[in-house]
Amino acid sequence: MLFHRDFRGYTGGHGKVWDYFNHALAAGWDARVFFSPQSLRDVSNPWLAVPECIEADWQPERADVLFLAGLDWLALPSVRQCDDRPIINLVQHVRHADPGQPLRAFLSRRALRICVSAPVADAISGTGEVCGPVRVIEAALNLPDRSGQLARRGGLVIDALKAPALGLALADALNQKGIAATLIAERVGRSDYLDRLASAEIAVLLPHPTEGFYLPALEAMALGCATVVPDCVGNRAYLQPGINALVPEPNPTALTDAVRRLIRDADLRARLVAAGRATAARFSLSEERRRFRDLLAGLSEIWAA
């Protein structure tokens, strides 16, 4: 099974492809990956842990199965190239259905599409342009054990990587109320990011207005944070407003009110943390792996049909 990556730095999207790469290995496949010439080969690239699986040349015609995600389709410039072999397409965002996005043009290419959430599947299926079957395997968490073992020090962290302006405005609004916050507005290492979540009592996560799933909020729940996150479509797969998270509107006033409510109400914080941990436990890597393995077992029949 051949993967293709244009790796310019670690992102959640790359992380989920890495998970599927390991799922393929666990299922007994000879998984290989090719990196574009512009790709980074530094400590942020998880594939460097398996150098024997990195291909020097891009030869998709030699693969039994191709695994593509995002703009990887650009590596197959010909519509007919490799059309006779199964292509698995991981779809991680509702924007694949946006007519203004180049991603939508790839929906007409024949593939077995795995969507990370039901909203993503609904979005692409609603275009009427998808060639091939669509399956939903909800995104799973992949957290190192050490992250959950950090001593909780308390405090507030704001993940504003996808909304830096809103994050800065929120931090300023909280500061005016005498509430200090750790703001993450620029990319940090994966371990550092998880450590900051694991050491906080309250986490505010600021997604794009639309997301395919949005793992950071689920990671915050798994790490025991009382979680605040606006609705972003994809997080409806796990979000239960008022039960496992507070879900205010994405503006400084509403977000500040949610944070102040949590600070004042220890019982609410405890309820959100307990429900959040229970929610996160349902999205296990083992379940994602099992469902992918089942799809691979029937891949020949699915592709022939």
Side-chain angles (χ1 to χ4, degrees):
M1 185 180 300
L2 181 60
F3 291 66
H4 182 282
R5 288 283 80 192
D6 181 36
F7 189 93
R8 310 294 183 92
Y10 185 89
T11 64
H14 284 307
K16 186 47 59 185
V17 175
W18 167 244
D19 288 341
Y20 272 90
F21 183 88
N22 285 286
H23 296 340
L25 289 174
W29 285 78
D30 179 14
R32 303 296 181 94
V33 62
F34 172 82
F35 288 106
S36 69
Q38 299 81 17
S39 293
L40 297 178
R41 296 178 184 243
D42 59 15
V43 293
S44 70
N45 189 330
W47 279 274
L48 294 192
V50 287
E52 68 279 8
C53 296
I54 299 175
E55 293 286 286
D57 300 306
W58 175 240
Q59 297 179 300
E61 68 281 357
R62 297 182 59 186
D64 297 304
V65 175
L66 293 173
F67 189 104
L68 307 178
L71 293 171
D72 290 340
W73 285 103
L74 295 174
L76 296 178
S78 169
V79 173
R80 295 185 178 277
Q81 187 179 8
C82 302
D83 244 13
D84 59 338
R85 72 196 66 244
I87 297 176
I88 297 173
N89 181 202
L90 181 64
V91 184
Q92 301 194 62
H93 206 293
V94 294
R95 66 171 172 258
H96 285 251
D98 187 340
Q101 289 282 340
L103 295 164
R104 178 157 172 171
F106 304 133
L107 294 179
S108 61
R109 302 286 293 272
R110 184 184 180 205
L112 165 59
R113 287 175 170 83
I114 298 175
C115 297
V116 298
S117 69
V120 172
D122 292 342
I124 66 170
S125 297
T127 67
E129 299 170 11
V130 178
C131 181
V134 176
R135 301 287 188 271
V136 175
I137 300 180
E138 288 179 324
L141 290 167
N142 186 358
L143 295 175
D145 291 340
R146 63 174 180 78
S147 295
Q149 295 169 355
L150 291 176
R152 185 149 320 268
R153 296 191 295 268
L156 166 69
V157 64
I158 302 170
D159 174 355
L161 289 170
K162 295 187 173 183
L166 176 57
L168 183 59
L170 174 59
D172 287 343
L174 290 170
N175 185 58
Q176 292 176 19
K177 301 292 184 181
I179 302 170
T182 297
L183 178 64
I184 306 174
E186 297 180 351
R187 293 209 173 276
V188 297
R190 172 73 171 161
S191 295
D192 187 17
Y193 174 81
L194 293 177
D195 286 351
R196 295 188 197 188
L197 281 185
S199 65
E201 185 174 18
I202 298 172
V204 180
L205 298 306
L206 303 177
H208 290 308
T210 59
E211 298 273 358
F213 190 83
Y214 197 59
L215 273 170
L218 194 61
E219 290 172 338
M221 292 180 188
L223 293 171
C225 299
T227 301
V228 178
V229 58
D231 174 84
C232 63
V233 183
N235 60 2
R236 296 171 193 168
Y238 59 83
L239 207 56
Q240 297 174 284
I243 297 176
N244 59 13
L246 296 186
V247 188
E249 291 297 313
N251 63 69
T253 299
L255 290 162
T256 297
D257 289 345
V259 169
R260 295 180 70 194
R261 180 182 172 195
L262 286 178
I263 291 173
R264 291 192 302 264
D265 193 336
D267 289 340
L268 176 59
R269 292 198 307 274
R271 291 197 303 272
L272 292 184
V273 168
R277 286 190 186 276
T279 298
R282 300 201 310 267
F283 295 85
S284 69
L285 204 62
S286 60
E287 176 63 11
E288 184 181 75
R289 179 165 294 179
R290 181 194 67 78
R291 295 186 64 187
F292 185 50
R293 185 179 64 242
D294 290 347
L295 269 186
L296 292 177
L299 182 59
S300 297
E301 291 77 13
I302 292 172
W303 194 253

